[in-house]
Amino acid sequence: MTAEVDLFDPFTLDGDPFPEFARRRNAGGASWGRPPYPEVGEAFYVFSHALVSQALKHPLLLQAPPGAYQEVRQKISANPALDFLTRSMLLSDPPRHMSLRRPLAGSMTFAAGRGLFDQLASRASQLVQSAVQKPEFDAVADIGLPLAFAGLEQILGIGIDDPWRTGHDAKLMADALDMRIGGINEDANQACRRLEAWVLHAIERGAVHPNGISAQMLAEVDAGRWRKDDAVANIVFLLFAGQATVVDTFGNALVALANSPRQLSLLENGNVGWSAAAEELLRFCAPVQYAGARIAADDLSFGGAIIKAGQAVVPVLGSANRDVSVFPTGDRLDLEAGSSSALVFGTGLHACLGQHVARVELAVLLEALFTWAKGWRLDTSRVSRRASVLFHGLQTAPMIRRGDRPPA
């Protein structure tokens, strides 16, 4: 396979993988490494912005190509949560991917995202003003999560009466997508079943509003172009993907700003626009470190290596977003940089459908927090990160008043 001995191992990195990412970029931008999950062999990891972009667009690097990999896909699909998620657009290849994506794309445009700005800004302000009435609050649970689900309600056209429970189940289900050494926790399967049952119940009781993309999915079912389980799987997937990017980036942003006093002061003093700040924070605080493994449909030469059919290529998004050949500030946060080429939402066929809404949500969260929570700070001593290799975010983001001592 390869004579390379300096294999990359994502499972040995702690909460700060970025020094190792930088080392790999400087050493050529690609490396063989440990399998992202046990069903596949050694994988080829790519770290530079150029190679990550090429991998995400390469016509021979697919989610599940025909041929030898199908035996691996069958093993993976033996898990109920993964089997369910393979019906979503995330894990689909052309032409099925486009048949799932095309009917929804018109509802997820830049204009559609901006159209939600006023409503989301008002909701974010309400959440922050309510949170600051407490002795302390959790910016993730009290602000980020409910705001993201408020946006998701509008997009999906389904009321979500308990965003915390739904968010908890969505996070558990997402563990099935994480990089792993062993099997998938049964909690992920149970969470997936609960979310599937919730969506089916919403459909059966007529709780799907005609102005959301859930109604568009069901129209595809009625027209015979989709199956009902296609619609359910994609709604369930969006219950995770439609809020996790914003919630995780928001938490990461609070940590990054707490560690960068000058950048924090730019926001506190209104010296940088909210949208510009959101763009740079999305780059620097990328919530997904690795794109899903792409499988070679045929033998190919890529990144200086020969990739055999059925082997995996893993694009390292968190590394590409700090490549100094594209972003001069690299591993340094700079809210005045005007970054615009980050791969936080991917690129190519699988570019994030909801990226415009995510940008709006992060911008209104920043505006609300720094407008209505002046005098508050993140208690960095009590921040806890979610246990994940793939997903980079916080479990808790405790906020206390400046001058207050953290609880013992």
Side-chain angles (χ1 to χ4, degrees):
M1 178 185 295
T2 176
E4 175 66 66
V5 294
D6 185 18
L7 294 177
F8 175 69
D9 188 348
F11 300 100
T12 61
L13 304 181
D14 57 17
D16 182 14
F18 301 106
E20 178 63 11
F21 290 169
R23 186 177 79 83
R24 297 287 175 171
R25 286 196 305 273
N26 294 333
S31 171
W32 288 98
R34 190 169 184 172
Y37 40 88
E39 293 85 358
V40 300
E42 277 185 1
F44 191 64
Y45 291 81
V46 291
F47 299 88
S48 71
H49 188 279
L51 286 176
V52 168
S53 182
Q54 292 169 28
L56 294 174
K57 296 176 181 177
H58 201 294
L60 291 180
L61 294 176
L62 304 173
Q63 296 286 342
Y69 181 74
Q70 286 303 308
E71 183 177 343
V72 175
R73 185 66 174 251
Q74 289 175 8
K75 293 178 182 178
I76 293 172
S77 296
N79 174 268
L82 276 178
D83 181 53
F84 182 75
L85 290 170
T86 58
R87 306 173 213 168
S88 72
M89 66 183 76
L90 173 72
L91 299 179
S92 299
D93 287 318
R96 172 174 163 78
H97 174 79
M98 291 311 297
S99 73
L100 294 173
R101 184 184 181 98
R102 189 176 295 112
L104 312 179
S107 300
M108 305 290 282
T109 61
F110 174 81
R114 298 303 299 180
L116 293 172
F117 186 92
D118 289 344
Q119 183 176 354
L120 290 174
S122 175
R123 180 60 178 145
S125 295
Q126 293 170 4
L127 289 167
V128 177
Q129 290 178 67
S130 176
V132 298
Q133 302 305 311
K134 305 176 183 180
E136 63 176 70
F137 64 92
D138 186 330
V140 168
D142 294 332
I143 301 172
L145 188 68
L147 187 280
F149 271 105
L152 197 54
E153 282 185 318
Q154 297 302 311
I155 295 165
L156 288 176
I158 302 177
I160 302 171
D161 56 353
D162 190 343
W164 298 276
R165 182 183 63 187
T166 305
H168 177 70
D169 277 346
K171 187 175 290 187
L172 286 176
M173 180 192 68
D175 288 346
L177 299 171
D178 206 348
M179 296 166 71
R180 53 191 166 80
I181 297 173
I184 294 172
N185 194 307
E186 179 58 22
D187 288 346
N189 295 323
Q190 294 296 334
C192 187
R193 293 186 185 102
R194 287 193 295 271
L195 292 171
E196 181 181 10
W198 182 85
V199 171
L200 285 168
H201 181 62
I203 293 172
E204 290 165 1
R205 64 188 174 90
V208 176
H209 306 305
N211 59 340
I213 64 172
S214 298
Q216 292 175 257
M217 295 185 201
L218 295 175
E220 292 296 305
V221 175
D222 292 340
R225 291 184 289 269
W226 288 23
R227 298 177 303 178
K228 186 175 182 179
D229 59 1
D230 293 331
V232 174
N234 279 285
I235 294 171
V236 168
F237 169 68
L238 288 171
L239 287 172
F240 164 70
Q243 47 83 25
T245 295
V246 173
V247 174
D248 285 344
T249 304
F250 182 53
N252 293 338
L254 295 177
V255 174
L257 291 166
N259 292 330
S260 307
R262 181 180 178 278
Q263 301 302 310
L264 178 61
S265 69
L266 289 175
L267 281 180
E268 291 179 329
N269 297 328
N271 293 330
V272 63
W274 306 115
S275 294
E279 199 69 30
E280 169 66 356
L281 288 164
L282 281 163
R283 177 195 75 83
F284 189 80
C285 305
V288 179
Q289 300 290 5
Y290 305 85
R294 268 42 177 186
I295 308 301
D298 204 346
D299 294 354
L300 69 144
S301 176
F302 185 78
I306 300 299
I307 313 297
K308 298 292 186 181
Q311 287 186 319
V313 174
V314 181
V316 186
L317 299 175
S319 174
N321 289 329
R322 297 187 178 205
D323 189 334
V324 294
S325 70
V326 179
F327 310 105
T329 54
D331 283 318
R332 179 170 58 83
L333 179 66
D334 183 359
L335 298 181
E336 299 174 297
S339 304
S340 61
S341 300
L343 294 173
V344 64
F345 297 110
T347 188
L349 289 176
H350 286 273
C352 176
L353 197 61
Q355 60 181 286
H356 302 302
V357 176
R359 287 182 165 98
V360 168
E361 289 177 341
L362 184 57
V364 301
L365 281 168
L366 294 171
E367 181 177 10
L369 186 68
F370 288 99
T371 299
W372 298 106
K374 294 181 184 296
W376 290 76
R377 66 176 179 87
L378 180 70
D379 181 2
T380 55
S381 68
R382 291 189 294 141
V383 164
S384 63
R385 286 209 167 271
R386 60 186 298 185
S388 175
V389 177
L390 181 69
F391 304 108
H392 190 59
L394 301 187
Q395 283 288 114
T396 59
M399 301 290 292
I400 59 176
R401 294 185 184 276
R402 286 199 175 102
D404 285 358
R405 295 175 61 86

